[in-house]
Amino acid sequence: MKAQVLHRYDEKLTAEKWVDLETVDDPRIEKSSDVIVRIGGAGVCRTDLHIIEGIWKPHMDPTGDKLLPLIMGHENAGWIEEVGAAVEGMKAGDPVIVHPKISDGTCLACRRGEDMHGEGSFPGLDCNGGYAQYLRTSARNIVKLPESLSPKDVAPYADAGLTAYRAVKKATRHLLPGQRCVVIGAGGLGHIGIQCLKAMCAAEIIVVDKSDRSLALAKEGGADHLVQADGDEVEAVKALSEGAGAEAVIDFVGEKGTTAKGLAMTRPMGNYYLVGYGEDLHIPAVDLIITERNIIGNLVGTWAELTELMALADRGLVEIAVQEYPLAEANQALKDLHAGRIKGRALLIP
Ligand code: ZN
Ligand code: ZN
């Protein structure tokens, strides 16, 4: 099959190209629970840029370049191509979206549905992913698509959408009418998160972003207030929230100073949900104690949450803006993402 392969890290992200289009062996059924998916679309994610930079190396590849060559791509949807002998209820041609974490299914975390916290592998990060024509996954990861949805319309939901949904779902469990939720960053994840918020709660939605294009997308998605991130965004949010900040702040950026600003926008007893990453958090412990604010991390989501998100998409309550690229143009898609030129989400089509 054709695949885009990463052979070397590039800490500064300055190389002319990052992945190479190559012909590699097709993935094959190895375990009786395996499923081969013919890729219909693979989302291009900021995490892929972080993999190229080597941010994940200490976690996934601590001893050196053992992980490479790697086929990236953890946001995958397509059609069932082949199933292992033990797989029931799925047949070739079924349209599916793939939960990104392949887990054992038998440890306590998995039995609680929290596969992200169990043992296992993460195709696209620690084994071959979906920047290719075919992907090997496991029956446990498959979510069948409703008739209204096609693989290329949904692929980025597998991680970007699911992560946004999980953080929003946590926030909506506490948010009441009359309260406010700040969304920092209305790009790939943020624009999905805003629609989920709109569909799932009645809090006022304040969106902070530096790009006019992203703010326009936020408006379409249901934002009540738009705040330009021009340096005075903390004051602007406070002015929209009785001077105290919002009950919930969901930070889809997590770098370039948004963590300090996000915490400053969170009112006493409020919750700051961290989704994006890239910098360190700095807050005096006493500040957190006095204000009783909570800092909450978010890691992808569960199989059940991916199914819930597909239900929102099936009803037309959430839509992803995508920019499609042929698989051969993966470098261009990654460059455009790095340069902030993507409206919504970039998608590779094999
Ligand atoms: Zn992703
Ligand atoms: Zn497990």
Side-chain angles (χ1 to χ4, degrees), residues 43-48 74-75 122 125 156 158-160 163 189 345:
V44 176
C45 183
R46 194 158 295 278
T47 287
D48 299 333
H74 55 273
E75 306 189 343
F122 205 101
L125 271 77
D159 170 53
T163 306
L189 272 72
R345 214 64 194 164

Side-chain angles (χ1 to χ4, degrees), residues 44-49 325 332-342 344-346:
V44 176
C45 183
R46 194 158 295 278
T47 287
D48 299 333
L49 291 173
Y325 297 78
Q332 190 60 51
L334 287 160
K335 293 276 171 191
D336 286 348
L337 176 63
H338 186 43
R341 290 191 289 259
I342 306 285
R345 214 64 194 164

Side-chain angles (χ1 to χ4, degrees), residues 11-58:
E11 211 174 299
K12 299 208 155 61
L13 292 180
T14 49
E16 202 173 306
K17 64 171 187 165
W18 293 312
V19 289
D20 299 309
L21 186 64
E22 293 173 3
T23 301
V24 301
D25 290 342
D26 288 359
R28 291 212 312 260
I29 300 282
E30 286 177 3
K31 286 195 230 163
S32 61
S33 54
D34 283 350
V35 171
I36 305 293
V37 173
R38 177 161 63 88
I39 296 292
V44 176
C45 183
R46 194 158 295 278
T47 287
D48 299 333
L49 291 173
H50 290 324
I51 293 170
I52 297 167
E53 284 175 299
I55 286 186
W56 285 87
K57 219 165 109 183

Side-chain angles (χ1 to χ4, degrees), residues 101 103-111 114-115 117-120 140:
K101 171 80 180 279
S103 50
D104 54 16
T106 54
C107 71
L108 192 55
C110 288
R111 287 179 193 274
E114 300 292 350
D115 292 49
H117 295 288
E119 292 297 311
R140 188 176 167 86

